Amino acid sequence: MDLKILSLATDKTTDKLQECLQSLKADELASLLQNQAVKGRAVGTFLRAILKGSPCSEEDGALRRYKIYSCCIQLVESGDLQQDVASEIVGLLMLEVHHFPGPLLVDLANDFVGAVREDRLVNGKSLELLPIILTALATKKEALACGKGDLNGEECKRQLIDTLCSVRWAQRYMIQLTSMFKDVRLTPEEMNLVVAKVLTMFSKLNLQEIPPLVYQLLVLSSKGSRRNVLDGIIAFFRELDKQHSEEQSDDELSELAAAPADELHHVEGTIILHIVFAIKLDCELGRELLKHLKAGQQGDPSKCLCPFSIALLLSLTRIQRFEEQVFDLLKTSVVKSFKDLQLLQGSKFLQTLVPQRTCVSTMILEVVKNSVHSWDHVTQGLIEFGFILMDSYGPKKILDGKAVEIGSSLSKMTNQHACKLGANILLETFKIHEMIRQEILEQVLNRVVTRTSSPISHFLDLFSDIIMYAPLILQNCSKVTETFDYLFFLPLQTVQGLLKAVQPLLKISMSMRDSLILVLRKAMFASQLDARKSAVAGFLLLLKNFKVLGSLPSSQCTQSIGVTQVHVDVHSRYSAVANETFCLEIIDSLKRCLGQQADVRLLLYEGFYDVLRRNSQLASSIMQTLFSQLKQFYEPEPDLLPPLKLGACVVTQGSQIFLQEPLDHLLSCIQHCLAWYKNRVVPLQQGDEGEEEEEELYHELDDMLESITVRMIKSELEDFELDKSADFSQSTNVGIKNNICACLVMGVCEVLMEYNFSISNFSKSKFEEILSLFTCYKKFSDILSEKAGKGKAKMASKASDSLLSMKFVSELLTALFRDSIQSHEESLSILRSSSEFMHYAVNVALQKVQQLIRTGRVSGPDGQNPDRIFQNLCDITRVLLWRYTSIPTSVEESGKKEKGKSISLLCLEGLQKILSAVQQFYQPKVQQFLQALDVMGTEEEEAGVTVTQRASFQIRQFQRSLLNLLSSEEEDFNSKEALLLLTVLSTLSKLLEPTSPQFVQMLSWTSKICKEYSREDVSFCKSLMNLFFSLHVLYKSPVTLLRDLSQDIHGQLGDIDQDVEIEKTDHFAMVNLRTAAPTVCLLVLSQAEKVLEEVDWLITKIKGSVNQETLSGDMSPEDASSQAVPPNLLIEKAIIMQLGTLVTFFHELVQTALPSGSCVDTLLKDLSKIYSTLTAFIKYYLQVCQNSRGIPNTVEKLVKLSGSHLTPVCYSFISYVQNKSSNNPKCSEKEKAAVSTTMAKVLRETKPIPNLVFAIEQYEKFLIQLSKKCKVNLMQHMKLSTSRDFKIRGNVLDMVLREDGEDESEEGAASALTQQDKEPAKKRRKKCLS
């Protein structure tokens, strides 16, 4: 039969073929077709013959053709056919689909839908037919029976797709089904339907099956719905990552979240590659991704930014056209995230409304961690982004050798966090990816070498961290060795940082060490001074870090870069004997420096003590060098005065005079080395013969210092040729020389004071010598102070750096103030008898702390050792605190009336500066610091006490002191002390936990002071109110406080309408006629600005969340409103409360007779701001109204309040400001002129009035729009704006009418009119400009 059919098919007519096919039953025909297909022989020809004999123009033929199609689909799906046979059958069927009549096409499509619903498809091959069927169906215009009614072809197609998307899809042919849709012409609604269906299927698949499905979805997205596709993919993996990290999952994602982390991240990496590839082919997809993520920034960023989306963005940077946009977006996100975090941390009001989200920085570091799973396409973007953050947000300016940040404190903190994040990204990426280590290292070192004018401390810190992590990997790194060649040209600070960072490498790499030494030796003879200083710094670092056999362990020095981190024993690589030879060679090289400039010698003297302490075996060589140097300037004759050749220390070169030998620093170095030798080496000596020579040297040095002491005390000013009649001016050579010599003598006296104290053992004679040395020091100090003119302040400050070590200062203060041992009493009374010496000791302590704050280090030994500095700070603080609390300033000052500050006041100033330094440099050690100040308790008691409790204990002491001050009379009030106490209290209050009862106690105490005590001291009032506000914002919003303060200000200053009597309120006694304006007024306006900033931030946030809900099409409006309204409703209520209270606050202030100047200017600006904020809030409700939500009654009340309490008085205030100068008869002409000038300047420079009027009109404009939209008349509460373009001045008119004579009257009227015309014209112009 099959042969007959084939032969009949060759005829020109199809009549016989049709008869033959009609004679066969459907089953027989299906059986023939099946046999042909299974055998695979000429099945195509046979199928063509059947289709030829079944024309769609006849009903029988169309039905037969339909049955053949059904049979073929079953065959293809059976899996019994060969691949090429199945493809041939499907191809033939595709060609003939468009001949089908509409009803049969509907039936065929329904068959497919049924097969999908009932899971009858085996391999999904036949699905290739479905797009052709749907396309053909869409072309049919006639009405077709589909579902419950008659629809045209396009509508049938829509209904079929709807049905297909509503049924369950089997896992095995999900990809074919998705792929099938790309060949169907879909409307946007159909596209959204299909995309939503595919996205819901993600959770039903195994992890490995998701990437191919995503690929098909991305191909499909070229037809539209790109945002939904990207949003769906990102949302799915965000949720999956979140549940995986929290180790919890809902039922839907349980299997996927339970997968191993590496498998999940590998899948994510593949999908990211698919998306990036799709974006390369379809740029619109990339633009849509960026648009989607940018839009998400306004609402909750964590809904669109997650580790997956950040990794996707970083991969996208490989496409050049998107690179810049992506980095800008990520930079903005990071900075916004840090700013939001800081805003939240600084406001209790915001914390209660907005939950703290995951910071973007955490997500980025998560990406770095995940990139280990073959995310090579992400790593390059990570490196670039890390460097972009460090370059953009690193320190920008160098001041006194220290990098400083520019800008507000908020932006400073944000920049520091962003820069630190960049460094963390690079460090973590370096640890994970071996392939890109070289690139990171090269880029870091390139920046270190090339950026000589800008600070690079952040890059040096990163370089140091990299080396600490992998010294063995980098020991043969050529890039580091190449960098050494540039040491000549780098600033000294950079050289020191660089060499300190490479210390671990030098300990394990002989070749690197040799390269460095070669460079340093060349630098030693360089013509540039900086290069020689760098060489000295480099050699000293080497000496410190290469221990010689037999050296004492240095318990004092905890070098951060130690051999323990290198994981090898350096002495096994090359012996300590070789180290000794190496170190002695370096010392020989350094001896040459003793003939160079003072700066080079100074570095050497400052460094020798540290070298000696770390390498005690070099003591002999170092001390011999110093001894030889001192002998050049020492007068050996015991009776010769002065004992030192000061003239030899100063050199004249041409017309210039400068210091050649810093003799005071040389003596200081010798003194510290001697003290160290006596304390550390002598107790351990067993009388070895080899050490006799050394002892002789030390004895000789002791004798020299003793002799210098005795002769310095005997020396008079004339012996130094520096009496009061000498020339000390900076304009002559003699004057410069005398200044230098005087500073040297003062330095020598300080060194000798410290030396004699260290050997005194509390001997009375030694203490007398110390006092005599101080008298000598004081003489020179007084002469320099007296002679230094106004322009010579720089020289005076330069000379003020004390040579006393910080350790000695702490010991001296302890002895002076806290030593109560009976045997020491008599000798210490000598020092205690001199109040000048006591002042001096406290002043030096103060100076050391200031130096630490300014430069991050202190001069003298251990000046760069943070642990030792911290220990000394604790000791000094303990003494100063005891002295201040034991002898109050009032007691001390009542006893003696001296010039300058009292010791107690100096102690308080010292405490204030130390607390500031501890918070700046030792934040992690605050607990330890406060513990050191407390009375010692048992270890168990100490362990359980928190920082808040310790800080609270100290706060109470200072509170008592301030209360004592305030209880004194106004004329006895010590303003300086009060300000220092407030600064101390402010610093300590930052250590209190805002949720603790101690914090509440501090707040209520500050509030009580403000309410009960009245002081006319403006500085004190400002400082106290600042403290009050800083505490209050961490407890609750300060709006009610602002309202009360505004009432007090209004009461004190009076009303703008002089006829109105104001009832004075007394909420806060601190607000009085003297402090109300400008002090308190400007403070409250500044706080109001902060509140408005917070409200603006909240409005932006809720606007963004509304946008996100509008854009996400995966939930119905009802669901959206039910989910999104409750949190937003809470925020809306809070905003209304804040704005309502602020309106009443401004209502009071705009009616206050404020003085001209900054108060008026700031108030006008802030009024513009509140109207802008109100406008933004009204715009938000315009947006919300689109979602069929009305406006709450509270909004109506707020609008009513603004209309009745604010707008009318704003216009009155504007008139008051403009008429102030002319309407004040009590003012003299001069005063009027001054006021007029001030007001003119304000109006000219800032244009505040036109800006305010514009802000009011904008507010009213959007109120009208909202009224129309929500069908509520909001404008009924708003009064008509005052027209200020034309005014009739009654007093001028009366004056004109009274004039005698008609002509004069006319002239007067004309001039009055002219006068009237001028000012409104000016106003009109300003209004336009604004």
Side-chain angles (χ1 to χ4, degrees):
M1 179 56 77
D2 49 354
L3 291 173
K4 183 181 178 184
I5 291 169
L6 286 169
S7 65
L8 288 171
T10 56
D11 292 351
K12 287 184 181 179
T13 58
T14 59
D15 297 342
K16 290 182 180 178
L17 180 60
Q18 285 183 43
E19 284 175 20
C20 180
L21 290 171
Q22 279 174 358
S23 64
L24 289 171
K25 290 181 181 176
D27 294 344
E28 291 172 354
L29 193 57
S31 177
L32 284 171
L33 185 58
Q34 188 175 347
N35 289 335
Q36 287 287 332
V38 171
K39 289 174 188 173
R41 290 187 312 214
V43 69
T45 315
F46 186 67
L47 188 55
R48 277 194 202 92
I50 295 174
L51 292 173
K52 189 179 179 182
S54 310
C56 289
S57 54
E58 296 176 13
E59 193 179 340
D60 290 343
L63 282 169
R64 187 161 56 249
R65 185 175 280 226
Y66 167 71
K67 287 171 184 171
I68 291 297
Y69 263 72
S70 300
C71 174
C72 287
I73 289 165
Q74 287 171 14
L75 275 173
V76 168
E77 285 299 323
S78 67
D80 298 336
L81 306 184
Q82 293 174 13
Q83 188 70 31
D84 55 340
V85 173
S87 297
E88 188 181 3
I89 291 172
V90 172
L92 279 169
L93 295 179
M94 281 178 176
L95 291 171
E96 297 292 329
V97 164
H98 64 280
H99 296 303
F100 266 106
L104 290 178
L105 280 173
V106 173
D107 291 344
L108 268 177
N110 279 324
D111 288 349
F112 272 106
V113 173
V116 170
R117 184 191 288 114
E118 293 159 22
D119 195 9
R120 293 202 305 269
L121 299 177
V122 178
N123 56 22
K125 177 72 178 170
S126 63
L127 284 172
E128 293 173 23
L129 264 178
L130 187 54
I132 311 296
I133 294 169
L134 291 172
T135 306
L137 185 58
T139 60
K140 305 296 179 185
K141 304 295 181 190
E142 70 270 19
L144 303 168
C146 185
K148 293 180 181 177
D150 290 343
L151 307 169
N152 64 28
E154 188 62 48
E155 290 166 344
C156 281
K157 183 194 79 169
R158 168 66 201 265
Q159 189 164 338
L160 285 163
I161 289 172
D162 203 345
T163 312
L164 188 59
C165 290
S166 63
V167 302
R168 185 180 168 278
W169 293 2
Q171 198 171 318
R172 59 184 180 281
Y173 47 79
M174 212 172 277
I175 291 163
Q176 286 100 316
L177 272 168
T178 308
S179 173
M180 174 270 294
F181 280 109
K182 73 176 184 286
D183 297 322
V184 183
R185 243 177 61 194
L186 299 171
T187 62
E189 293 80 14
E190 291 166 353
M191 187 68 199
N192 289 341
L193 208 62
V194 172
V195 167
K197 174 64 180 177
V198 177
L199 289 171
T200 56
M201 301 313 294
F202 279 5
S203 56
K204 311 287 192 297
L205 295 173
N206 296 325
L207 266 179
Q208 298 299 335
E209 292 172 328
I210 295 176
L213 184 59
V214 167
Y215 178 79
Q216 293 301 333
L217 196 54
L218 290 167
V219 172
L220 185 61
S221 73
S222 62
K223 300 170 80 72
S225 209
R226 292 177 180 87
R227 180 179 290 238
N228 289 355
V229 168
L230 292 167
D231 190 22
I233 294 169
I234 290 169
F236 174 75
F237 282 102
R238 181 183 67 236
E239 194 57 36
L240 196 56
D241 277 338
K242 184 181 168 189
Q243 294 189 11
H244 194 277
S245 60
E246 291 171 0
E247 294 182 353
Q248 59 171 34
S249 58
D250 54 30
D251 296 335
E252 203 172 273
L253 293 175
S254 56
E255 286 183 26
L256 295 176
D262 57 343
E263 187 185 349
L264 172 61
H265 298 316
H266 274 295
V267 166
E268 286 177 343
T270 309
I271 286 168
I272 289 169
L273 278 175
H274 283 332
I275 296 173
V276 173
F277 180 68
I279 289 171
K280 280 180 183 174
L281 298 175
D282 178 15
C283 291
E284 193 54 45
L285 190 66
R287 281 192 282 271
E288 203 60 56
L289 173 66
L290 289 173
K291 206 188 294 179
H292 167 62
L293 294 176
K294 276 178 189 171
Q297 291 292 300
Q298 297 304 317
D300 178 6
S302 62
K303 283 189 179 175
C304 57
L305 275 184
C306 60
F308 177 80
S309 62
I310 290 169
L312 174 56
L313 282 172
L314 289 167
S315 297
L316 200 59
T317 56
R318 297 170 78 185
I319 303 172
Q320 196 175 352
R321 69 167 65 188
F322 292 115
E323 185 179 8
E324 196 177 331
Q325 294 176 58
V326 168
F327 284 135
D328 284 346
L329 173 62
L330 286 172
K331 259 170 67 177
T332 309
S333 302
V334 166
V335 171
K336 185 178 180 295
S337 175
F338 283 132
K339 278 184 178 170
D340 288 356
L341 195 63
Q342 276 186 272
L343 204 62
L344 276 170
Q345 286 170 350
S347 168
K348 183 69 176 175
F349 166 66
L350 290 180
Q351 287 168 21
T352 52
L353 291 171
V354 182
Q356 203 159 318
R357 307 282 182 186
T358 310
C359 188
V360 174
S361 58
T362 314
M363 297 178 193
I364 293 172
L365 292 172
E366 186 74 23
V367 172
V368 178
K369 195 173 79 177
N370 295 346
S371 68
V372 73
H373 303 291
S374 308
W375 286 14
D376 299 336
H377 43 92
V378 174
T379 48
Q380 195 58 44
L382 276 171
I383 296 169
E384 284 182 50
F385 186 54
F387 280 114
I388 283 170
L389 286 178
M390 290 191 79
D391 292 337
S392 304
Y393 301 110
K396 293 286 182 288
K397 192 179 176 188
I398 294 180
L399 190 70
D400 295 334
K402 185 187 173 192
V404 293
E405 294 282 356
I406 307 165
S408 67
S409 57
L410 181 71
S411 64
K412 265 191 231 171
M413 290 297 291
T414 303
N415 288 358
Q416 285 168 9
H417 287 315
C419 180
K420 185 68 183 160
L421 173 63
N424 286 340
I425 290 169
L426 292 169
L427 181 61
E428 295 306 314
T429 310
F430 183 91
K431 289 178 181 179
I432 291 171
H433 298 283
E434 286 182 31
M435 298 296 289
I436 46 87
R437 283 178 180 170
Q438 188 70 19
E439 187 187 341
I440 292 176
L441 201 62
E442 278 187 20
Q443 288 209 45
V444 170
L445 289 173
N446 285 344
R447 283 163 170 80
V448 168
V449 169
T450 56
R451 299 188 180 180
T452 51
S453 59
S454 56
I456 45 135
S457 54
H458 48 308
F459 287 111
L460 285 172
D461 292 342
L462 173 60
F463 181 49
S464 178
D465 290 341
I466 286 171
I467 288 176
M468 298 290 267
Y469 171 73
L472 294 173
I473 297 168
L474 300 175
Q475 61 176 314
N476 298 316
C477 179
S478 59
K479 185 67 187 173
V480 178
T481 315
E482 281 170 30
T483 308
F484 292 155
D485 296 335
Y486 298 98
L487 291 183
F488 279 80
F489 314 106
L490 298 178
L492 178 63
Q493 205 176 7
T494 303
V495 173
Q496 287 176 319
L498 188 62
L499 294 179
K500 195 174 179 185
V502 297
Q503 283 302 318
L505 297 185
L506 300 176
K507 289 185 175 185
I508 56 173
S509 172
M510 197 86 160
S511 60
M512 197 173 281
R513 194 185 75 174
D514 293 341
S515 302
L516 177 60
I517 290 170
L518 204 62
V519 170
L520 292 176
R521 278 184 178 151
K522 283 181 191 172
M524 190 73 83
F525 300 100
S527 57
Q528 304 97 330
L529 177 62
D530 271 1
R532 298 200 296 279
K533 284 165 79 174
S534 297
V536 171
F539 277 136
L540 287 169
L541 268 169
L542 288 171
L543 285 176
K544 285 178 204 172
N545 288 284
F546 286 88
K547 278 222 162 198
V548 178
L549 195 66
S551 288
L552 296 169
S554 177
S555 61
Q556 300 175 19
C557 173
T558 52
Q559 174 71 353
S560 60
I561 302 168
V563 86
T564 50
Q565 288 132 324
V566 179
H567 307 301
V568 293
D569 182 3
V570 297
H571 303 307
S572 66
R573 294 292 295 272
Y574 34 89
S575 68
V577 178
N579 268 357
E580 185 168 9
T581 313
F582 161 69
C583 288
L584 291 172
E585 276 179 29
I586 290 177
I587 290 176
D588 283 340
S589 298
L590 288 174
K591 280 179 186 175
R592 298 192 188 106
C593 298
L594 294 173
Q596 295 190 9
Q597 284 96 329
D599 285 355
V600 180
R601 299 183 195 192
L602 201 60
L603 268 178
L604 204 56
Y605 299 152
E606 285 179 350
F608 265 156
Y609 173 73
D610 276 346
V611 171
L612 189 71
R613 213 183 47 190
R614 294 166 200 261
N615 248 337
S616 58
Q617 285 298 304
L618 300 174
S620 174
S621 184
I622 288 172
M623 292 306 290
Q624 192 63 53
T625 305
L626 293 170
F627 178 62
S628 307
Q629 189 71 1
L630 179 60
K631 276 171 74 176
Q632 295 176 38
F633 304 94
Y634 174 68
E635 295 283 7
E637 291 294 325
D639 298 327
L640 203 58
L641 299 178
L644 298 165
K645 301 171 186 173
L646 293 178
C649 298
V650 184
V651 174
T652 308
Q653 201 170 49
S655 62
Q656 286 189 319
I657 285 188
F658 51 85
L659 179 67
Q660 177 71 15
E661 175 63 52
L663 188 59
D664 46 357
H665 285 86
L666 170 61
L667 271 174
S668 176
C669 181
I670 290 170
Q671 184 264 317
H672 288 305
C673 291
L674 261 178
W676 175 84
Y677 175 78
K678 287 173 188 171
N679 292 337
R680 302 275 294 151
V681 180
V682 173
L684 300 173
Q685 283 182 350
Q686 304 297 324
D688 294 346
E689 289 179 17
E691 288 167 352
E692 282 180 15
E693 278 183 38
E694 269 187 56
E695 281 195 45
E696 271 182 41
L697 171 67
Y698 290 119
H699 285 310
E700 199 168 341
L701 279 169
D702 261 330
D703 293 342
M704 282 172 86
L705 288 171
E706 191 65 42
S707 171
I708 293 170
T709 301
V710 172
R711 286 191 277 165
M712 284 293 284
I713 292 166
K714 287 180 184 175
S715 299
E716 296 295 330
L717 290 173
E718 290 76 12
D719 295 322
F720 296 104
E721 298 176 8
L722 294 172
D723 58 3
K724 288 191 177 182
S725 61
D727 178 15
F728 283 93
S729 72
Q730 294 288 317
S731 54
T732 63
N733 284 352
V734 176
I736 293 169
K737 182 180 177 181
N738 287 345
N739 263 300
I740 292 171
C741 290
C743 291
L744 282 177
V745 173
M746 287 165 66
V748 168
C749 287
E750 286 192 314
V751 172
L752 292 173
M753 279 190 263
E754 183 166 348
Y755 168 73
N756 282 288
F757 189 88
S758 68
I759 62 166
S760 68
N761 197 18
F762 291 89
S763 141
K764 192 175 177 182
S765 60
K766 282 292 170 195
F767 279 12
E768 283 170 351
E769 285 180 3
I770 289 171
L771 207 55
S772 303
L773 284 166
F774 172 69
T775 308
C776 178
Y777 170 88
K778 189 81 173 66
K779 283 179 194 170
F780 284 97
S781 172
D782 289 344
I783 287 175
L784 284 180
S785 301
E786 187 184 322
K787 299 282 184 180
K790 288 180 183 176
K792 311 297 180 287
K794 192 177 178 185
M795 182 65 207
S797 68
K798 196 175 179 185
S800 68
D801 276 349
S802 173
L803 281 175
L804 301 183
S805 69
M806 200 169 181
K807 184 171 185 294
F808 169 64
V809 173
S810 78
E811 287 172 358
L812 178 62
L813 288 174
T814 307
L816 289 173
F817 297 132
R818 295 301 309 267
D819 197 326
S820 55
I821 298 169
Q822 195 66 41
S823 56
H824 298 170
E825 191 69 38
E826 189 182 352
S827 52
L828 280 171
S829 64
I830 295 165
L831 297 179
R832 288 169 179 166
S833 65
S834 168
S835 66
E836 284 187 338
F837 184 75
M838 307 261 273
H839 266 89
Y840 164 74
V842 180
N843 263 319
V844 173
L846 206 60
Q847 187 199 102
K848 292 285 176 191
V849 180
Q850 282 171 323
Q851 194 181 23
L852 174 67
I853 293 168
R854 194 175 69 249
T855 62
R857 46 162 291 184
V858 291
S859 54
D862 293 324
Q864 295 188 42
N865 184 334
D867 293 335
R868 298 298 296 167
I869 292 174
F870 177 71
Q871 190 54 54
N872 291 329
L873 278 178
C874 291
D875 296 342
I876 291 170
T877 311
R878 200 160 43 238
V879 177
L880 296 183
L881 185 61
W882 179 87
R883 175 65 173 73
Y884 177 72
T885 49
S886 304
I887 307 172
T889 319
S890 53
V891 174
E892 190 178 350
E893 288 183 344
S894 62
K896 293 177 185 176
K897 290 286 179 185
E898 291 179 357
K899 273 188 177 180
K901 298 173 182 173
S902 65
I903 293 176
S904 286
L905 196 58
L906 283 173
C907 288
L908 181 59
E909 195 175 334
L911 287 168
Q912 180 259 314
K913 287 194 178 347
I914 289 171
L915 286 167
S916 168
V918 168
Q919 284 218 332
Q920 187 177 343
F921 297 104
Y922 299 102
Q923 189 65 40
K925 289 187 171 184
V926 166
Q927 169 88 329
Q928 206 176 321
F929 174 74
L930 292 173
Q931 193 172 334
L933 304 187
D934 281 355
V935 182
M936 300 301 286
T938 62
E939 281 188 25
E940 291 79 11
E941 285 173 5
E942 292 288 327
V945 185
T946 63
V947 170
T948 296
Q949 289 167 325
R950 290 186 195 284
S952 180
F953 174 73
Q954 300 300 339
I955 283 169
R956 284 196 292 276
Q957 297 192 67
F958 293 109
Q959 283 175 337
R960 280 195 291 273
S961 301
L962 187 58
L963 281 172
N964 291 338
L965 266 182
L966 288 167
S967 56
S968 63
E969 294 298 320
E970 180 86 41
E971 57 270 14
D972 298 331
F973 182 65
N974 188 332
S975 175
K976 285 179 183 174
E977 186 179 359
L979 284 173
L980 285 169
L981 280 168
L982 285 173
T983 313
V984 168
L985 286 168
S986 178
T987 309
L988 285 170
S989 68
K990 288 173 187 168
L991 303 175
L992 299 175
E993 184 60 44
T995 54
S996 64
Q998 289 89 345
F999 183 88
V1000 178
Q1001 184 273 331
M1002 175 72 187
L1003 175 61
S1004 58
W1005 180 85
T1006 314
S1007 175
K1008 186 182 175 190
I1009 297 289
C1010 292
K1011 286 176 178 177
E1012 295 179 6
Y1013 290 90
S1014 178
R1015 282 285 179 274
E1016 292 195 347
D1017 189 296
V1018 169
S1019 302
F1020 173 71
C1021 174
K1022 185 176 180 181
S1023 193
L1024 179 65
M1025 295 304 284
N1026 270 327
L1027 172 62
F1028 186 28
F1029 279 123
S1030 68
L1031 294 169
H1032 203 284
V1033 291
L1034 294 173
Y1035 182 65
K1036 64 176 181 180
S1037 177
V1039 282
T1040 50
L1041 196 65
L1042 293 175
R1043 185 188 59 207
D1044 293 347
L1045 281 163
S1046 67
Q1047 288 170 359
D1048 288 352
I1049 294 168
H1050 193 182
Q1052 289 292 338
L1053 298 177
D1055 199 89
I1056 55 175
D1057 185 350
Q1058 291 176 1
D1059 300 332
V1060 175
E1061 269 193 46
I1062 301 297
E1063 187 184 336
K1064 284 191 179 183
T1065 56
D1066 54 352
H1067 298 112
F1068 293 93
M1070 198 49 73
V1071 181
N1072 51 49
L1073 198 58
R1074 181 84 190 276
T1075 59
T1079 310
V1080 178
C1081 180
L1082 288 176
L1083 272 173
V1084 292
L1085 285 171
S1086 162
Q1087 287 299 321
E1089 279 179 37
K1090 287 178 185 172
V1091 174
L1092 284 171
E1093 188 186 338
E1094 289 174 5
V1095 171
D1096 278 334
W1097 185 80
L1098 283 173
I1099 293 170
T1100 309
K1101 203 160 192 63
I1102 56 176
K1103 265 187 185 175
S1105 66
V1106 170
N1107 284 338
Q1108 278 180 340
E1109 287 153 20
T1110 309
L1111 291 168
S1112 60
D1114 55 348
M1115 56 169 88
S1116 66
E1118 292 80 14
D1119 292 341
S1121 60
S1122 67
Q1123 286 181 23
V1125 168
N1128 275 10
L1129 200 59
L1130 198 66
I1131 294 174
E1132 285 169 24
K1133 281 180 181 174
I1135 290 171
I1136 291 163
M1137 283 296 294
Q1138 296 292 91
L1139 289 175
T1141 317
L1142 278 179
V1143 165
T1144 57
F1145 160 76
F1146 281 114
H1147 169 73
E1148 291 289 340
L1149 279 188
V1150 290
Q1151 294 182 90
T1152 306
L1154 293 172
S1156 307
S1158 54
C1159 287
V1160 171
D1161 189 19
T1162 311
L1163 178 55
L1164 287 168
K1165 283 179 183 172
D1166 288 352
L1167 284 168
S1168 299
K1169 280 181 186 169
I1170 192 172
Y1171 275 110
S1172 301
T1173 305
L1174 284 164
T1175 306
F1177 196 43
I1178 295 302
K1179 283 182 182 174
Y1180 164 72
Y1181 277 106
L1182 278 169
Q1183 195 178 350
V1184 167
C1185 276
Q1186 292 173 354
N1187 300 351
S1188 69
R1189 239 188 85 195
I1191 60 165
N1193 291 335
T1194 45
V1195 175
E1196 284 187 59
K1197 286 177 184 174
L1198 176 64
V1199 171
K1200 182 179 180 180
L1201 189 69
S1202 69
S1204 59
H1205 277 62
L1206 195 55
T1207 308
V1209 284
C1210 275
Y1211 284 118
S1212 305
F1213 185 69
I1214 290 169
S1215 302
Y1216 163 76
V1217 170
Q1218 292 177 324
N1219 298 331
K1220 190 168 170 53
S1221 57
S1222 56
N1223 288 352
N1224 196 349
K1226 292 177 187 176
C1227 290
S1228 66
E1229 288 301 318
K1230 238 181 204 181
E1231 286 171 338
K1232 280 186 181 182
V1235 170
S1236 299
T1237 309
T1238 310
M1239 295 312 299
K1241 188 180 176 188
V1242 167
L1243 296 172
R1244 183 175 66 252
E1245 286 181 2
T1246 57
K1247 307 262 190 294
I1249 291 175
N1251 291 344
L1252 173 56
V1253 173
F1254 177 74
I1256 294 172
E1257 287 169 355
Q1258 282 293 101
Y1259 173 53
E1260 290 172 354
K1261 172 187 159 185
F1262 284 101
L1263 273 180
I1264 293 166
Q1265 288 184 21
L1266 185 61
S1267 299
K1268 287 176 183 173
K1269 190 159 261 185
C1270 65
K1271 307 292 187 289
V1272 176
N1273 184 13
L1274 297 171
M1275 289 303 291
Q1276 65 182 335
H1277 313 301
M1278 309 301 289
K1279 293 183 181 175
L1280 284 173
S1281 302
T1282 307
S1283 171
R1284 296 174 304 109
D1285 292 336
F1286 177 75
K1287 295 178 191 169
I1288 296 173
R1289 295 184 178 171
N1291 55 345
V1292 176
L1293 198 59
D1294 288 342
M1295 185 184 72
V1296 171
L1297 292 171
R1298 286 195 202 101
E1299 289 290 335
D1300 295 328
E1302 210 171 298
D1303 295 330
E1304 287 174 22
S1305 155
E1306 285 173 11
E1307 281 173 27
S1311 66
L1313 286 169
T1314 310
Q1315 190 182 357
Q1316 286 174 32
D1317 287 344
K1318 281 178 187 172
E1319 194 176 14
K1322 188 176 173 186
K1323 285 175 207 160
R1324 278 200 298 273
R1325 186 171 66 255
K1326 279 160 98 179
K1327 202 165 185 180
C1328 297
L1329 284 169
S1330 69

